[in-house]
Amino acid sequence: MEDSSSKHMPENLDDPPNSRLFVVTSRCVTEDDLRERFSKYGDIQGIWLLKDKQTKEPKGVSYVKYAKSSQACMAMEDMHGKVLLEGTKPIKVFIAQSRSSAKHRDVEDEELTRIFVMIPKTFTEEDLKNTFREYGDIEYCDLIRNKLTGESKGLGYVRYYKPSQAALAIENCDKSYRAILAEPRSKNNYSEDAGASRGGGEYGYVDSFSQHTFPASADQGGHMVVDYRHGDITRSLILNTRAALTQEQIFALFDLIPGMEYCELLRDSYCLTKGPLGYALIRYNNLGSSVYAKEKLNGFEYPPGNRLQVTFYDDGESPAGRMASQVVTAQIMSTVWNGASCGQAVKSPGYSLSRIQVDFSLPSLKKLAPSDSKTKERLFVVFNPSPLPLNVLEDVFCRFGSLIEVHLVPGRNVGYVKYADRQCAEEAKALLHGRIVNGVKMKVMLADPPREESHKRPRTY
DNA sequence: CGACGGGACGC
DNA sequence: CGACGGGACGC
């Protein structure tokens, strides 16, 4: 089944990643010399000495492939600078660049000592350190936090002193942490030109290694580029909120980002009788501030439990609860509302912004189940011709009680509805299947059970 | 027919 | 400075 002969190394040169050494030696060092000195660190799968094409003379460059990255790292750490043969120069040992990488630059320890992990949101930096210190001395731990609330996003970095320690952590820690090597901080992964670079190998260490470690995402990135091209972003934003917010509160919130030049609380034209304001219009004096404000405040819970929805305002459309564009809609679906639901504390029928148009009678609005409720039943919904907005879906599907959340699949006309009670889900299915809501026909079915994943950590949100 | 599976840091 | 082999199943 497995081909482990030392002669034949087909495509597994980089499997697992960083398990191969690049060794610079004196030309007179032989394969046996290398084997003698390097075999104590682990299972050597192959040794290859480069030879000159014409003269067949050794070039003093060789590769040593181990079964594990930690073995390669330990060999590197221990052997780098050692003299193999009396009177020859000290050898140099590095982790080899992946075969598919065009770069021949040395792989720095910087790239090999920091890992990126998924952890429960309740973890502190100390918890993180205590969890991962069994693999080696830790220089520091970082949590990724929401800048505004300070709450952990359940993601963290652990910096070790030595590559072998990071490798050991990745190899041996609980799979649910999904530990991988962190991309170096210098590279700005953030301004998402990922759409342009996806599939291209022009970004050094981003290429083959990241394909190894990052599952392909269906998420539509690159909104900055796309939005500019389509002219969908403006300096104006729309705030949607289910909870009542005062003009002062909204002003204070959006004034956190410099450049606000306008902030007005508007009544939902469809809910004139309701006291609380449904949405607000905010404008900044520059594009950067509006983009930044949307990024920072969209999805922000204020007050806690009330997730704000911030979208770009498009002058061509009615402001009431409308998305600026399909692009922005998709982005909101995948970033803000995914896996989220409003806390029931602030959920109240009077604050519903969705305008529901149906040709059948709907039960009254019900409270949502707590977002940490255990899912007892899931519904699978197919929309025709296109998905309904999440606030509408929540409005409709909550009316049978125990609704936990509605989740749309980005780029597809389908979604999932989670209930904390099977009976409620059944009733929702019975009443809503085949119905038309706001002109969108819905098929409502029981969802197939989720795929079993043995090493899966329960989601902590 | 139609299906979820995750991930990034204020230089 | 010091970066990527030899050789070929059996449909």
Side-chain angles (χ1 to χ4, degrees), chain A residues 57-96:
Chain A
E57 289 297 307
K59 295 174 75 173
V61 171
S62 42
Y63 293 92
V64 179
K65 172 72 173 73
Y66 286 92
K68 295 176 159 196
S69 173
S70 58
Q71 298 166 342
C73 290
M74 287 186 291
M76 167 178 73
E77 291 157 15
D78 204 34
M79 290 302 295
H80 184 70
K82 289 273 172 67
V83 174
L84 292 195
L85 301 175
E86 190 71 24
T88 61
K89 293 206 306 193
I91 65 171
K92 291 185 249 187
V93 185
F94 303 94
I95 293 294

Side-chain angles (χ1 to χ4, degrees), chain A residues 185-205:
Chain A
R185 197 187 327 229
S186 57
K187 206 75 186 178
N188 206 359
N189 263 350
Y190 166 67
S191 71
E192 9 208 303
D193 42 9
S197 70
R198 189 143 293 164
E202 59 201 279
Y203 286 97
Y205 34 73

Side-chain angles (χ1 to χ4, degrees), chain A residues 8-25:
Chain A
H8 193 91
M9 297 200 292
E11 298 291 314
N12 62 337
L13 294 179
D14 299 311
D15 179 37
N18 304 310
S19 59
R20 197 170 55 121
L21 293 180
F22 170 63
V23 185
V24 183
T25 68

Side-chain angles (χ1 to χ4, degrees), chain A residues 351-364:
Chain A
Y351 301 159
S352 173
L353 284 177
S354 46
R355 181 178 58 141
I356 311 292
Q357 204 153 55
V358 291
D359 57 354
F360 58 99
S361 62
L362 275 169
S364 63

Side-chain angles (χ1 to χ4, degrees), chain A residues 168-409:
Chain A
L168 283 170
I170 290 169
E171 290 163 10
N172 300 313
C173 78
D174 192 289
K175 297 284 184 266
S176 66
Y177 294 124
R178 302 216 155 226
I180 58 172
L181 276 184
E183 295 288 340
R185 197 187 327 229
S186 57
K187 206 75 186 178
N188 206 359
N189 263 350
Y190 166 67
S191 71
E192 9 208 303
D193 42 9
S197 70
R198 189 143 293 164
E202 59 201 279
Y203 286 97
Y205 34 73
V206 178
D207 57 18
S208 64
F209 180 64
S210 63
Q211 286 170 16
H212 248 295
T213 52
F214 288 87
S217 169
D219 201 351
Q220 193 81 316
H223 68 273
M224 300 286 269
V225 174
V226 175
D227 282 355
Y228 272 103
R229 192 182 315 139
H230 292 263
D232 285 327
I233 56 176
T234 69
R235 294 178 293 121
S236 299
L237 300 172
I238 295 173
L239 164 70
N240 265 312
T241 168
R242 286 175 173 260
L245 294 179
T246 66
Q247 166 84 34
E248 288 71 28
Q249 288 172 312
I250 295 173
F251 185 98
L253 204 55
F254 283 83
D255 196 37
L256 289 172
I257 289 89
M260 190 179 71
E261 64 177 21
Y262 175 82
C263 176
E264 186 189 358
L265 210 43
L266 302 167
R267 264 176 208 291
D268 185 336
S269 52
Y270 304 112
C271 302
L272 288 175
T273 60
K274 319 297 185 196
L277 307 170
Y279 66 94
L281 192 54
I282 301 97
R283 188 171 68 240
Y284 289 90
N285 60 19
N286 68 89
L287 204 54
S289 288
S290 68
V291 171
Y292 187 74
K294 176 180 171 299
E295 281 182 2
K296 294 305 171 189
L297 294 175
N298 189 18
F300 178 54
E301 290 195 13
Y302 183 82
N306 181 57
R307 209 167 267 254
L308 303 180
Q309 186 181 13
V310 182
T311 64
F312 292 114
Y313 173 75
D314 183 39
D315 285 322
E317 298 187 47
S318 155
R322 296 309 303 262
M323 309 300 170
S325 70
Q326 290 181 350
V327 172
V328 174
T329 302
Q331 185 191 343
I332 287 161
M333 288 170 181
S334 62
T335 58
V336 181
W337 293 93
N338 266 358
S341 61
C342 293
Q344 78 274 30
V346 293
K347 170 104 180 172
S348 146
Y351 301 159
S352 173
L353 284 177
S354 46
R355 181 178 58 141
I356 311 292
Q357 204 153 55
V358 291
D359 57 354
F360 58 99
S361 62
L362 275 169
S364 63
L365 290 162
K366 306 287 191 306
K367 291 204 314 186
L368 296 181
S371 53
D372 59 354
S373 305
K374 185 163 174 62
T375 301
K376 289 291 177 54
E377 191 62 87
R378 285 194 319 159
L379 299 179
F380 176 58
V381 186
V382 182
F383 304 94
N384 197 336
S386 58
L388 286 162
L390 279 163
N391 60 334
V392 172
L393 291 172
E394 210 174 279
D395 190 313
V396 170
F397 281 89
C398 80
R399 294 168 185 253
F400 308 87
S402 90
L403 174 69
I404 300 173
E405 67 160 350
V406 184
H407 165 70
L408 288 174
V409 180

Side-chain angles (χ1 to χ4, degrees), chain A residues 9-73:
Chain A
M9 297 200 292
E11 298 291 314
N12 62 337
L13 294 179
D14 299 311
D15 179 37
N18 304 310
S19 59
R20 197 170 55 121
L21 293 180
F22 170 63
V23 185
V24 183
T25 68
S26 159
R27 297 177 189 276
C28 55
V29 166
T30 66
E31 174 171 338
D32 284 344
D33 294 331
L34 291 172
R35 190 175 301 278
E36 184 184 323
R37 299 296 295 273
F38 280 81
S39 57
K40 63 190 264 196
Y41 305 101
D43 324 312
I44 292 181
Q45 296 180 329
I47 298 180
W48 171 29
L49 278 67
L50 257 69
K51 294 187 177 66
D52 186 284
K53 288 267 178 15
Q54 277 79 34
T55 70
K56 313 261 274 184
E57 289 297 307
K59 295 174 75 173
V61 171
S62 42
Y63 293 92
V64 179
K65 172 72 173 73
Y66 286 92
K68 295 176 159 196
S69 173
S70 58
Q71 298 166 342
C73 290

